[in-house]
Amino acid sequence: MAEQAILVRYFAAAAEAAGCTEESVRIGEGADLGALRSVLVERHGPKMERVLTVAAFLQDDELTRDLGLVAASRVDVLPPFAGG
């Protein structure tokens, strides 16, 4: 199966859990956000898993929590933000 590189950008608690603000992640071509989520949890552990249980993903100007959507070439991980 062919792979694709996805630029994952992290914000707030997600950046803290990842230890960086962005990274390139390789997953199978056409993989969904659920597959990306699994890779991120495997890579960054329980702290990232906790963040991802409440986070939303921003891709192609669409904010979503639908893990069945095909992952875009850039995905932002957005945990809930305090304040407003």
Side-chain angles (χ1 to χ4, degrees), residues 1-83:
M1 175 186 248
E3 286 191 339
Q4 65 177 338
I6 296 177
L7 175 63
V8 181
R9 300 190 310 173
Y10 301 107
F11 297 86
E16 185 179 319
C20 60
T21 57
E22 66 179 46
E23 66 181 331
S24 181
V25 175
R26 297 196 69 77
I27 62 172
E29 187 77 37
D32 60 22
L33 290 172
L36 177 61
R37 182 190 186 284
S38 294
V39 169
L40 298 180
V41 169
E42 182 178 308
R43 186 176 285 192
H44 298 294
K47 191 170 185 181
M48 179 61 77
E49 186 170 24
R50 284 190 298 278
V51 169
L52 292 176
T53 62
V54 295
F57 299 96
L58 179 67
Q59 61 175 17
D60 299 329
D61 297 323
E62 180 183 345
L63 189 64
T64 186
R65 287 188 168 85
D66 182 352
L67 297 179
L69 291 177
V70 173
S73 61
R74 188 183 79 211
V75 177
D76 295 346
V77 179
L78 305 172
F81 293 91

